[in-house]
């Protein structure tokens, strides 16, 4: 099971750090992703990372502002979000998949999801 934390309310231009902790040790071998869903919109990929942390990928809208990282010893994955914009407002979800090919940006391939954490950016 995956549990997100770190969401909240921040002004535009500010920063937040989301964290996702997995309850089972096996998740350290899984590729991980952060997704977000704004009201009335589809859930979209924000960032993904391979099980080793050696490969990452980002949505164009967050490149240069967000950084995904993981600590397999602590069984956590983090999303550092800087220069936040009002359009970043959404519920953010952590997800995991046992993926042999490194990482995947396809949300349909992810098997495990957290409950989500709200991020609200005020203008």
């Amino acid at each position: 099971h995956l549990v997100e934390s770190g969401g909240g309310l921040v002004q535009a231009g500010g920063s937040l750090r989301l964290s996702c902790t997995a309850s089972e040790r096996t998740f350290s071998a899984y590729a991980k992703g952060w997704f977000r869903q704004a009201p009335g919109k589809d859930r979209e990929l924000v960032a993904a990372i391979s099980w080793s942390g050696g490969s990452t990928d980002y949505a164009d809208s967050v490149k240069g502002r967000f950084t995904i990282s993981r600590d397999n010893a602590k069984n956590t994955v983090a999303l550092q979000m800087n220069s936040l914009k009002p359009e970043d407002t959404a519920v953010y979800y952590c997800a995991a998949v046992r993926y042999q090919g490194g990482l995947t940006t396809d949300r349909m391939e992810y098997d495990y999801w957290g409950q989500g954490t709200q991020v609200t950016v005020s203008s």
Side-chain angles (χ1 to χ4, degrees), residues 44-109:
E44 63 176 2
L45 174 83
V46 176
I49 188 166
S50 61
W51 73 269
S52 68
S55 297
T56 58
D57 201 359
Y58 296 89
D60 288 343
S61 59
V62 307
K63 282 180 181 176
R65 299 189 297 125
F66 291 11
T67 303
I68 188 171
S69 62
R70 65 188 298 161
D71 184 337
N72 287 340
K74 296 181 179 179
N75 224 5
T76 60
V77 61
L79 184 69
Q80 178 66 41
M81 306 186 294
N82 299 329
S83 302
L84 282 160
K85 304 175 181 180
E87 51 264 44
D88 293 318
T89 295
V91 177
Y92 283 69
Y93 298 89
C94 175
V97 59
R98 190 171 183 87
Y99 195 76
Q100 298 297 325
L103 59 82
T104 177
T105 59
D106 184 351
R107 68 181 175 91
M108 300 304 292
E109 295 195 274

